[in-house]
Every structure is written in C-alpha cells, then in structure tokens.
C-alpha cells in the first residue's frame, strides 16, 4: 500500500517507516523537521519537507504519493510542556491534524491511522486500563489528542474516512538504525541513559510522594518496533477503532533507573525533585483488544530488552542524529 507518514523523521515515525518498507509498503514521509531529523528518514522512503499548516502542499503530496493510507505521527508530545504552552498543543495536535484529515478526505484516502495516547484517559479509575474507561485528560496534550479522536469518529461516520487510533503508553527502545533523539529531551529512559553516557551528571526523579509502592510514577513501556507492527496490522481492511498499545507491566521511575544501571553497568545518580505538573501516578495498559482484534503480539515485552535496544542505539549515536 502507498502510505503517507507525517512525522516520519521523528522517533516513532522513523521506526514505523522502516518497518513499513521492510513489509513491502511504499512510503512518503512528510515532516517539517522541527522535531524530526533528515537522517532519521529511511533512504528508501520519498521525503517531502513541509508543514501541515500548508494544506495545498499536503494535498499535492497526498496525490503525488497516491496515498491509500495516512499515518499521522507528527505532533508535539510533551506532557509537561503542554501545561505551560497549551496553544502549541491545540494548534499542532488538533488544528493541524484536522487540516490533514480534511486533505485526506478530499484526496480520497481510505484510512487514517492516528497516534493517540494513554494521556487521553487522565488518572484511570482502574488499571490495567481498557479502551472503554472514561477519558478525563489532565493536561492539554491528552485533551487535544482526545478532541481529535472525536473528530475521527464523525469523519468516519459522515465522510467514510476509516480510522484506527492507537493509544500509546510509553514508547521506548530503538531499532538497529533509528532511535530517540529529541532536541530537548524530557523523557525518562533517554535521560537516564544520558547519565550513563556521561552527558548528564544525574537524573532527576519528578515526585516521590505518589500513591505507589516506592512513591514514584508507574508507566507501561512499549518497544517502538512493537508499536510499528501494530500500525502495519492496522492497515488490514476492516480494522478500525481505538486500541491501547502497551505491555501490561508497570515500572516505577526508580525501577527504570535500576534497570538502566543493570543494562549499562554504570552507576546512575538520581536526585529527587517535586512532582511534574500533569503526571498521573499510574498508567498501565490492557491491550487485549489489539491482541484479539489485530493479532498483535509484542516481540520485545521485557523492560530489559527495551532498555538494551535503547542503550545500543545511544551508544552508537552518543550525540544523537547529526542534524
Ligand atoms: N520522569 C522523571 N525524570 C525525568 C523524566 C521523566 O522522573 O527526567 C518521570 C515523569 O515524571 C513520569 C515518568 O518519568 O512520571 C515518565 O515520563 P516520560 O516523560 O518519559 O513519559 P510520559 O509518561 O510523560 O509520557
């Protein structure tokens, strides 16, 4: 299938592009390179540098690509930043997504694959979290993603734009070629590995008074290659709706730091800081729907393997991508 990948120069988009190409699909990457990196675009893909605000370019690019499906990764994705700059999140993650969906409808795209997030749920009533839980986001990042989920429901109903939306838990790990390089890194695993690399003196732990066994937040880490496989399965005809993507195992911030010490063989000093605004205490997925309806099966469910692949990539790219 011809797949139009927005954000294909970013972390998850680059690995998904690689896996789509490996599976025999044709890929056009559309990215404005504000977060992404040109060298993260698989050389087998066609690349268009552009912004989603530019609807004329988006439509032309969709037509040139003869796109049967859009995978929409391009987004701002930092919970903490969304609490101080909500405008950025509603514009990038809602307005630009809407423009893309309009272009997709106009250009006759059959399927829209959307990168949603477990942040749409807010603090859940129960864990593991199933897709039918009430959604009460506590940060603009989750709110904007949820608003666009609702757009997709109506666009499917009225314009017949089929969609599949994946609510990612915490993406981590790397493929052999592509990994995680944000210009400003706020995510836990890369920041811990930066300490192991000597790029940072210590890691900061945001909040040690949460209602969890060790007082730090619990997250469900999912390998980026497993996310990519779910997207490929989502292209199958007749697959539609919302799917959680996680492993169902929760690890606290302290447990992640310990695991990184074990994998890297380095001591990782940590200092305790206040809570970061917008962080729910515990997010763990029940991904049974993706298992049964899509036939998805994570190949790297263990946190050891997730951290090991991230570490291998960071050791090979100690300063990240060159650009
Ligand atoms: N975190 C932390 N120190 C860091 C980065 C993150 O303690 O340097 C915590 C953060 O507060 C959250 C968890 O680690 O509880 C995962 O954060 P991350 O930013 O990786 O992903 P998020 O869950 O926000 O999408």
């Amino acid at each position: 299938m011809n797949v139009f990948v927005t954000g294909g120069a970013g972390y998850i988009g680059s690995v998904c592009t690689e896996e789509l190409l490996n599976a025999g699909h044709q890929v056009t990457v559309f990215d404005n390179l504000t977060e992404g990196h040109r060298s993260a675009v698989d050389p087998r893909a066609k690349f268009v540098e552009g912004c989603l605000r530019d609807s004329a370019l988006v439509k032309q690019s969709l037509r040139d690509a003869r796109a049967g499906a859009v995978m929409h990764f391009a987004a701002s994705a930092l919970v903490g930043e969304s609490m101080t700059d909500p405008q950025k999140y509603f514009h990038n993650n809602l307005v630009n997504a809407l423009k893309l969906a309009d272009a997709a409808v106009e250009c006759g795209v059959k399927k829209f694959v959307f990168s949603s997030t477990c942040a749409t749920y807010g603090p859940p009533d129960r864990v593991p979290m199933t897709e039918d839980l009430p959604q009460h986001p506590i940060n603009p990042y989750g709110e904007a993603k949820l608003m666009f989920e609702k757009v997709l429901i109506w666009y499917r109903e009225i314009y017949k734009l089929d969609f599949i939306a994946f609510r990612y838990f915490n993406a981590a790990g790397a493929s052999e070629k592509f990994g995680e390089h944000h210009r400003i890194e706020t995510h836990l695993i890369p920041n811990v590995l930066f300490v192991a690399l000597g790029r940072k003196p210590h890691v900061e732990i945001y909040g040690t008074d949460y209602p969890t066994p060790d007082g730090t937040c619990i997250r469900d880490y999912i390998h980026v290659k497993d996310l990519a496989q779910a997207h490929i399965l989502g292209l199958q005809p007749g697959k539609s709706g919302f799917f959680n993507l996680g492993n169902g195992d929760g690890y606290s911030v302290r447990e992640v730091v310990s695991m990184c010490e074990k994998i890297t063989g380095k001591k990782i000093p940590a200092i305790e800081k206040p809570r970061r605004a917008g962080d729910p205490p515990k997010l763990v997925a029940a991904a049974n729907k993706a298992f049964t309806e899509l036939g998805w099966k994570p190949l790297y469910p263990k946190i050891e393997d997730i951290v090991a692949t991230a570490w291998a990539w960071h050791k090979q790219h100690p300063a990240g991508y060159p650009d």
Side-chain angles (χ1 to χ4, degrees), residues 79 170 186-189 191 203-206 217 219 221 253 276 279-280 283:
V79 167
N170 285 59
T186 67
H187 292 102
L188 180 62
I189 291 178
N191 268 326
V203 64
E204 297 181 341
I205 296 183
Y206 301 137
C217 284
R219 294 288 181 272
Y221 295 87
V253 174
R276 188 175 72 178
D279 278 343
L283 297 170

Side-chain angles (χ1 to χ4, degrees), residues 133-155:
L133 280 182
Q135 289 170 291
H136 301 295
I138 59 166
N139 49 63
Y141 169 61
E143 189 74 67
K145 291 276 185 181
L146 176 58
M147 290 164 97
F148 190 68
E149 283 192 357
K150 292 182 177 171
V151 170
L152 286 175
I153 294 170
W154 288 110
Y155 274 36

Side-chain angles (χ1 to χ4, degrees), residues 56-209:
L57 178 63
V58 172
K59 282 184 233 170
Q60 189 55 51
S61 307
L62 282 170
R63 289 198 179 100
D64 290 347
R66 298 176 200 281
V70 164
M71 289 193 182
H72 179 40
F73 296 94
S76 301
L78 306 180
V79 167
E81 183 187 54
S82 80
M83 295 294 284
T84 55
D85 191 0
Q87 207 172 30
K88 176 171 175 183
Y89 282 74
F90 288 110
H91 279 274
N92 287 351
N93 295 3
L94 178 62
V95 177
N96 287 349
L98 189 56
K99 284 178 174 242
L100 176 64
D102 288 344
V105 169
E106 196 176 318
C107 296
V109 170
K110 294 281 170 279
K111 188 155 216 175
F112 197 102
V113 184
F114 177 53
S115 301
S116 191
T117 167
C118 62
T120 57
Y121 295 107
D125 297 340
R126 58 183 156 79
V127 287
M129 298 153 66
T130 46
E131 289 82 356
D132 55 354
L133 280 182
Q135 289 170 291
H136 301 295
I138 59 166
N139 49 63
Y141 169 61
E143 189 74 67
K145 291 276 185 181
L146 176 58
M147 290 164 97
F148 190 68
E149 283 192 357
K150 292 182 177 171
V151 170
L152 286 175
I153 294 170
W154 288 110
Y155 274 36
R156 179 176 62 186
E157 170 92 18
I158 296 163
Y159 297 128
K160 310 297 172 209
L161 175 64
D162 200 6
F163 80 85
I164 189 159
F166 291 115
R167 296 184 186 140
Y168 305 159
F169 282 64
N170 285 59
S175 76
E176 281 177 21
K177 292 187 196 147
F178 303 113
E180 188 165 13
H181 175 187
H182 300 108
R183 290 192 174 78
I184 297 173
E185 190 52 79
T186 67
H187 292 102
L188 180 62
I189 291 178
N191 268 326
V192 178
L193 296 178
F194 286 173
V195 181
L197 280 172
R199 282 178 62 177
K200 283 188 150 193
H202 57 253
V203 64
E204 297 181 341
I205 296 183
Y206 301 137
T208 53
D209 60 347

Side-chain angles (χ1 to χ4, degrees), residues 19-41:
E19 295 288 317
L20 279 165
L21 289 159
N22 289 348
H25 297 283
Q26 295 77 41
V27 179
T28 297
V29 166
F30 187 94
D31 198 301
N32 67 0
L33 300 181
T34 56
E35 300 289 343
H37 307 270
R38 182 66 184 88
S39 49
V41 179

